[in-house]
Amino acid sequence: MRAFVERLDILRRWAVAHDRRKLAAQLDHENDAAHADDAKTAACAAVKVRRPTLADIEQALQRISIGRYALCVDCEQVIARERLLIQPAAVRCVVCQSTLSTIAR
């Protein structure tokens, strides 16, 4: 479990740093006053792109603290270790995620 917590913490720090770097790059790149509104819009969009991932990571850390990590939110079965190694913030097992993806199409 400790390895998952460490990995989630690394992912969280990466997501926050990525947001900051991308926002700074967008704002630095758009010094022209004519493009200032476009730069602000693009910077806000860049931040919003990473927020769900950061939120997922923080929710996974919260699930660990309350003992619900690695349990599927739909069927409450244990999420496979292999899936968590690939996607440590996963909230659904492969079967439930596949079902949800099929319904969403």
Side-chain angles (χ1 to χ4, degrees):
M1 186 63 66
R2 182 181 172 105
F4 288 115
V5 172
E6 289 172 359
R7 186 162 182 200
L8 286 166
D9 189 50
I10 289 168
L11 287 171
R12 179 178 51 179
R13 284 187 275 138
W14 178 86
V16 169
H18 182 268
D19 285 350
R20 288 180 184 152
R21 283 192 306 269
K22 197 162 189 173
L23 179 60
Q26 288 287 340
L27 294 175
D28 287 343
H29 187 283
E30 298 291 337
N31 288 328
D32 184 11
H35 298 291
D37 288 338
D38 292 339
K40 288 178 187 175
T41 302
C44 289
V47 171
K48 289 179 184 176
V49 169
R50 297 301 302 158
R51 292 291 177 196
T53 301
L54 183 57
D56 290 343
I57 292 166
E58 289 171 347
Q59 289 173 3
L61 290 169
Q62 183 177 8
R63 287 193 307 275
I64 288 171
S65 71
I66 62 171
R68 301 288 300 167
Y69 184 72
L71 293 179
C72 178
V73 296
D74 293 337
C75 70
E76 296 192 1
Q77 296 296 312
V78 175
I79 299 171
R81 185 175 192 276
E82 294 79 13
R83 177 164 170 72
L84 292 171
L85 287 172
I86 294 168
Q87 178 64 308
V91 296
R92 290 181 179 81
C93 66
V94 172
V95 173
C96 290
Q97 186 63 51
S98 296
T99 301
L100 183 67
S101 297
T102 302
I103 292 171
R105 291 181 192 171

